[in-house]
Amino acid sequence: MKQLLLVVLIFVPFERLLAARPQKILRRGLLTDMAFLFLNGWLVVGGVIAIMAVATLVNRSILPAAVTQTIGDLPYLVQVPIVILIADLGVYWTHRILHVVPAMWEIHSVHHAVEELDWLAAVHQHPLDVIFMKAGALFPLYALGFSAEAIATYLLTYFWQTWLVHANVRLNYGPLRHILVSPEFHHWHHSSETAARDKNFAGLFSFYDVLFGSAHLPKGQNPKTFGVDHPMPSSYLALLAYPIVAWTSKRKRNDPPAAQPHMPSGGEPAQPRQIAPLS
């Protein structure tokens, strides 16, 4: 709770001083985001414990002892940059999977449903989304045997980075914009503009997007609209259920008809009734 209070005390005035877009503090969707903030943690913790347990099993039973011992013997100051590089590479690829695999996008679209982007949008994520991305970041770290202190340093760094890159602030990092992920860089990731879709996946190091051809950072331009191009629920419980509803709806649309369709006078099969958009 103290950490959350500190986040509020930092980012609320920060967004007033360096606002990228005019936006109210008491914006639309604020109560839903507060529900994500206070309830998601209880749903995620079990998944994180499972990730750590499986990774520890791999560390002790599969990886050669020489590998884990060598990593464990590295000094803390050497481990930390390696841990951050490995974890963010994991974030990059799990994040990209969430976008390019249709079934996974139904989960991740909950996060992209935010249309008024600010610091609190960082927590507007489905628990399955959070667990999957944490698996990408944390599993290799625990499996390889990095120290708890080095992993904790990464988690603290990523904690503050997540709030910052979603914040409604004007920060682009100048010459470092293609090395480090800035708010400007991540705002483009949330943009609903066609050219920005499925771009800018990294969490800390934008050079991963440059390396893998997914960077989008047009100079002198800023994203103007956010969100997805289909209706999304607005309440917390409806957003939790959204992926299941979407999967079920899609499966029904793809199921072959049980009987031969009625043939109208024109000789062509009658078209199935269109399913109403999810809301």
Side-chain angles (χ1 to χ4, degrees):
M1 188 59 70
K2 290 181 180 179
Q3 201 170 39
L4 174 60
L5 179 59
L6 182 59
V7 170
V8 172
L9 292 175
I10 290 174
F11 284 103
V12 170
F14 194 28
E15 289 188 333
R16 298 303 97 192
L17 292 171
L18 291 174
R21 299 165 301 279
Q23 192 164 288
K24 297 178 181 179
I25 296 176
L26 301 178
R27 59 166 172 78
R28 180 180 51 177
L30 180 66
L31 291 180
T32 298
D33 287 351
M34 296 299 290
F36 275 103
L37 177 64
F38 289 109
L39 299 177
N40 257 20
W42 300 101
L43 301 175
V44 170
V45 65
V48 173
I49 291 173
I51 293 166
M52 293 170 59
V54 175
T56 301
L57 181 64
V58 170
N59 175 270
R60 296 177 179 176
S61 306
I62 298 177
L63 289 181
V67 173
T68 57
Q69 183 66 41
T70 300
I71 292 172
D73 288 341
L74 292 173
Y76 166 80
L77 292 178
V78 175
Q79 285 197 30
V80 167
I82 299 174
V83 161
I84 294 176
L85 284 166
I86 291 174
D88 204 48
L89 183 61
V91 165
Y92 175 90
W93 284 110
T94 50
H95 196 175
R96 190 161 183 169
I97 288 169
L98 285 163
H99 276 255
V100 301
V101 177
M104 301 299 285
W105 170 248
E106 304 295 2
I107 299 171
H108 192 56
S109 62
V110 171
H111 181 51
H112 280 265
V114 176
E115 295 180 352
E116 295 185 63
L117 201 65
D118 63 12
W119 65 276
L120 195 55
V123 298
H124 191 110
Q125 289 181 275
H126 197 283
L128 294 177
D129 186 342
V130 180
I131 291 169
F132 185 64
M133 290 190 67
K134 284 190 179 297
L138 297 180
F139 184 88
L141 303 182
Y142 283 103
L144 290 169
F146 287 99
S147 70
E149 293 79 10
I151 295 174
T153 301
Y154 160 72
L155 289 172
L156 182 62
T157 303
Y158 194 74
F159 172 84
W160 288 104
Q161 171 73 352
T162 301
W163 299 115
L164 175 62
V165 296
H166 289 92
N168 179 24
V169 293
R170 304 187 308 273
L171 285 178
N172 60 32
Y173 295 178
L176 297 178
R177 62 208 295 263
H178 291 295
I179 298 175
L180 299 174
V181 173
S182 64
E184 177 196 41
F185 186 87
H186 194 69
H187 288 187
W188 276 112
H189 174 74
H190 278 269
S191 173
S192 57
E193 298 168 39
T194 303
R197 293 181 183 180
D198 302 327
K199 303 291 184 181
N200 300 5
F201 299 109
L204 289 163
F205 297 116
S206 55
F207 66 73
Y208 280 135
D209 282 284
V210 175
L211 178 64
F212 297 117
S214 55
H216 180 78
L217 199 56
K219 194 171 182 179
Q221 300 180 41
N222 294 298
K224 294 178 175 58
T225 57
F226 306 98
V228 295
D229 57 2
H230 53 84
M232 293 289 289
S234 58
S235 72
Y236 176 71
L237 291 178
L239 285 165
L240 284 187
Y242 175 80
I244 298 172
V245 174
W247 294 332
T248 303
S249 177
K250 188 173 293 185
R251 181 176 179 180
K252 287 180 179 178
R253 291 198 299 270
N254 293 336
D255 280 347
Q260 184 71 20
H262 168 67
M263 299 290 288
S265 58
E268 296 294 331
Q271 295 300 310
R273 183 173 61 87
Q274 293 297 312
I275 297 174
L278 295 168
S279 60

